[in-house]
Amino acid sequence: QLQLVESGGGLVQPGGSLRLSCAASGFTLDYYAIGWFRQAPGKEREGVSCISSRDGSTYYADSVKGRFTISRENAKNTVYLQMNSLKREDTAVYYCAAMTPLLFRLCVLRPEIGRADYWGQGTQVTVSS
């Protein structure tokens, strides 16, 4: 019933941009915080960014600050991740996920932590020349 579907991944050159989308169904973004996470081959999953369900406040891991922007359109039940100035080290499978207040608080405190409650299937982002 609760479902998250990511899209927008692909191949991009270093310095390029991509926008990822996360379409939610079975629930409304008015009631869940949403985060973006990523996992590169051989590495642990890490948090990228999250956005509040209440006031839209946003939080970013240090690795993406100034380059990535998370946003939401509650009327469309969709969350976005605009990724600019992409680096090779950004290559990963990117996931969106819904989080309850406990894990959202963890994101607020430490956005790089890769924990959430309900996960999408992921979309591949490859940054390569």
Side-chain angles (χ1 to χ4, degrees):
Q1 186 175 3
L2 193 157
Q3 190 171 14
L4 297 160
V5 179
E6 303 94 334
S7 62
L11 175 65
V12 64
Q13 292 184 330
S17 298
L18 282 174
R19 189 180 74 161
L20 306 183
S21 298
C22 175
S25 62
F27 67 102
T28 172
L29 298 184
D30 290 337
Y31 302 108
Y32 288 88
I34 299 293
W36 283 98
F37 305 80
R38 66 187 183 186
Q39 187 167 21
K43 294 186 176 182
E44 296 294 316
R45 184 174 61 219
E46 62 179 339
V48 174
S49 181
C50 57
I51 185 166
S52 170
S53 63
R54 294 179 180 267
D55 60 6
S57 57
T58 58
Y59 306 87
Y60 299 92
D62 288 344
S63 60
V64 306
K65 283 182 180 176
R67 300 189 298 120
F68 291 10
T69 303
I70 189 171
S71 62
R72 69 182 184 188
E73 293 188 57
N74 284 12
K76 296 182 179 180
N77 237 31
T78 300
V79 174
Y80 305 96
L81 185 68
Q82 178 66 46
M83 305 185 294
N84 299 326
S85 301
L86 283 161
K87 306 174 181 179
R88 288 181 176 86
E89 50 263 45
D90 295 318
T91 295
V93 176
Y94 282 71
Y95 301 88
C96 67
M99 53 188 67
T100 54
L102 177 63
L103 292 184
F104 177 64
R105 184 187 179 207
L106 179 60
C107 180
V108 169
L109 296 173
R110 295 186 61 185
E112 75 279 9
I113 299 299
R115 300 190 185 278
D117 294 286
Y118 307 102
W119 296 87
Q121 86 290 343
T123 185
Q124 177 70 47
V125 172
T126 302
V127 184
S128 180
S129 59

